[in-house]
Amino acid sequence: MPGTTLSPAVPTARTGHRPVLVLATLLSCQLMLVLDATVMNVALPRIQSELGFSATGLSWVMNAYTLVFGGLLLLGGRAGDLFGRRRMFVAGITLFTVASLVGGFADSPGWLLTARVVQGIGGAAAGPSTIALLTTTFTEPRARIRALALFSGMSSAGFAVGLIAGGLLTQWLSWRSVMFINVPFGFAAAVLATRFVAEPERRPARLDLPGAMTATGGVAALVYGFIRAASEGWSDGPTLLSLVAGAILLVTFVAIQARSAAPMMPLRLFADRNRASAYLNFFLGPMAAMSTFFFLSQYLQKVHGFDALGTGFAFLPMALLVFTISRLIPRLLPRFGPKPLALAGTTAMVAGLVLLSRLGVASDYFPALFLPMVLMGLGMGLAFAPLNVIIMATVSDHDAGAAGGVLQTMQQTGATLGLAVLVTVFGTATRHATGSPSQMLVAGMTPAFAASAAIAGVAFLVALTFRRVLPQS
């Protein structure tokens, strides 16, 4: 209700059994999964030189993880309903941790990409159960909003914090340490979950393998098509075939969900207008933001000569703002509702990305980079931190696993497709460009930032559809 303020203190769990440890375990898992989507960005130049990736092939270091992660999240959510959410959480985080350990020893592109794929499988098993366990553990409305706000803050800030952590680890140790760092935290989360996280009551469910195959195959085909277009052009036969196949598979997936008695993505989740809008913006937000992380980390190192540590700290203004605003969401969302926050946030994002599209080889960090990063931090915090709460605060326990799976699927699929589209824009812009490597990088990334600004503009239009309905407490 208007004027209500909610303290961001740690909420109390339904069981009353070590709620701080339960919350810390689940938030640590989420932070690790989100960090892994961006922590590699700062290390990309070193990975490229050491393992021999091509300029466009380098994007697969990111996409191999986010593609599998996003493509299998719906199946992971349903598997949690079927086999037990805590069991899937523990199994997934363990697999993710082992893959991180193995990937840290990679000596070839194939080895690293295989490890990233297995990380994605583990993340897809653990991710939906993470938010579902949070929702079913903290059932009192005010406590659930607080817990979800903390979860949202961890998710949003994790994207930017990953760049800082990646810079520290790459500079002080090596790029391999960004894989190894997952090992102690992953095993600790698995052990603590086994001991302190309660297993919710299982509900009748079945695995929807046709749905999983069409969803994963459709996204994979689209990503492959966009990335191939970056190097081969839009008239290339395999490129067009892949894009058409991806679209057909995704349409087939929606048709399967509409007719299934036990869908992985229940279409009733989209019946509420605020939830449907939040899902769509959870897709568009990472799609627009990925250009900031992927291209700026290379720009700072290859054009301005920043080391990995300096690159990580260059993103500090963005990270601090996202995290700070995320902590304020329990107060801001009940007071103002989702629409003003989303409109202000997407406006700030559009402004920041437009400024980034004007970068040149000689642009200084202050103000040419500092100001856009401040705007991006404000924008992501205001526009996307409330979305977890909007989606999950009123969902039933029965749909918690599916709702969490769809939420994270939108986020990861948006990031994966966004990066593929932006790499295509980059490749198209630089295919016939001339000049130094720095000039080539700038010539490709500035159109990519302009495309990101257009995507953020669509997110603004979606934000206009939010009702001024406030969370119930």
Side-chain angles (χ1 to χ4, degrees), residues 210-237:
M213 292 172 63
T214 52
T216 305
V219 174
L222 288 179
V223 169
Y224 176 78
F226 280 118
I227 291 178
R228 185 177 175 89
S231 57
E232 304 298 331
W234 292 102
S235 60
D236 176 63

Side-chain angles (χ1 to χ4, degrees), residues 101-455:
L101 177 64
V102 173
F105 293 104
D107 62 2
S108 68
W111 183 338
L112 179 60
L113 294 182
T114 300
R116 295 286 283 167
V117 167
V118 178
Q119 279 185 306
I121 296 172
S129 292
T130 303
I131 193 167
L133 286 168
L134 192 77
T135 304
T136 55
T137 299
F138 300 97
T139 56
E140 191 272 323
R142 291 168 62 89
R144 179 179 283 188
I145 288 177
R146 294 185 196 116
L148 287 169
L150 290 171
F151 182 91
S152 178
M154 197 67 74
S155 301
S156 301
F159 278 104
V161 171
L163 295 165
I164 297 172
L168 289 168
L169 294 169
T170 302
Q171 181 69 26
W172 290 347
L173 301 171
S174 75
W175 70 263
R176 299 177 188 278
S177 61
V178 302
M179 301 288 281
F180 291 142
I181 193 64
N182 292 326
V183 176
F185 292 104
F187 281 125
V191 171
L192 288 172
T194 302
R195 183 169 180 184
F196 295 109
V197 177
E199 178 69 85
E201 178 185 354
R202 294 190 203 176
R203 300 179 183 275
R206 65 179 179 84
L207 293 179
D208 181 6
L209 294 179
M213 292 172 63
T214 52
T216 305
V219 174
L222 288 179
V223 169
Y224 176 78
F226 280 118
I227 291 178
R228 185 177 175 89
S231 57
E232 304 298 331
W234 292 102
S235 60
D236 176 63
T239 296
L240 295 175
L241 180 63
S242 181
L243 293 173
V244 171
I248 292 173
L249 285 170
L250 290 179
V251 170
T252 303
F253 166 71
V254 174
I256 290 172
Q257 300 308 290
R259 299 179 62 180
S260 175
M264 291 192 308
M265 187 179 76
L267 298 185
R268 62 179 174 272
L269 291 174
F270 298 89
D272 178 82
R273 192 168 86 183
N274 271 4
R275 188 181 293 126
S277 298
Y279 274 135
L280 184 52
N281 266 0
F282 234 135
F283 176 82
L284 295 168
M287 178 178 277
M290 281 304 294
S291 64
T292 311
F293 305 131
F294 184 77
F295 291 111
L296 277 186
S297 61
Q298 296 182 68
Y299 173 77
L300 288 166
Q301 294 181 70
K302 294 182 178 180
V303 176
H304 286 295
F306 281 39
D307 59 22
L309 181 60
T311 300
F313 275 103
F315 285 91
L316 189 60
M318 182 191 301
L320 289 176
L321 278 168
V322 171
F323 183 74
T324 300
I325 293 173
S326 298
R327 291 283 292 168
L328 296 175
I329 289 302
R331 295 188 177 95
L332 297 176
L333 188 59
R335 185 177 184 85
F336 298 106
K339 190 169 185 175
L341 300 184
L343 290 174
T346 49
T347 299
M349 278 190 68
V350 170
L353 289 164
V354 168
L355 289 175
L356 289 175
S357 72
R358 301 174 63 84
L359 287 176
V361 174
S363 298
D364 294 325
Y365 178 80
F366 189 90
L369 275 170
F370 178 80
L371 181 56
M373 285 192 178
V374 168
L375 289 169
M376 289 295 292
L378 286 169
M380 289 188 290
L382 289 172
F384 305 118
L387 300 182
N388 279 308
V389 179
I390 295 169
I391 291 169
M392 298 298 297
T394 58
V395 76
S396 67
D397 285 359
H398 177 73
D399 283 333
V406 174
L407 182 156
Q408 294 183 317
T409 296
M410 291 293 183
Q411 183 183 55
Q412 295 301 324
T413 303
T416 304
L417 281 176
L419 183 55
V421 169
L422 297 171
V423 167
T424 303
V425 174
F426 175 90
T428 302
T430 57
R431 190 173 297 121
H432 304 296
T434 58
S436 67
S438 295
Q439 291 170 328
M440 294 279 285
L441 177 63
V442 172
M445 76 177 199
T446 48
F449 286 133
S452 295
I455 295 169

Side-chain angles (χ1 to χ4, degrees), residues 71-123:
L72 294 179
L73 275 166
L74 292 175
L75 185 62
R78 178 46 48 87
D81 294 335
L82 181 60
F83 300 114
R85 291 170 184 167
R86 187 183 67 178
R87 179 177 296 177
M88 288 302 298
F89 175 87
V90 172
I93 204 64
T94 301
L95 181 62
F96 177 92
T97 303
V98 171
S100 300
L101 177 64
V102 173
F105 293 104
D107 62 2
S108 68
W111 183 338
L112 179 60
L113 294 182
T114 300
R116 295 286 283 167
V117 167
V118 178
Q119 279 185 306
I121 296 172

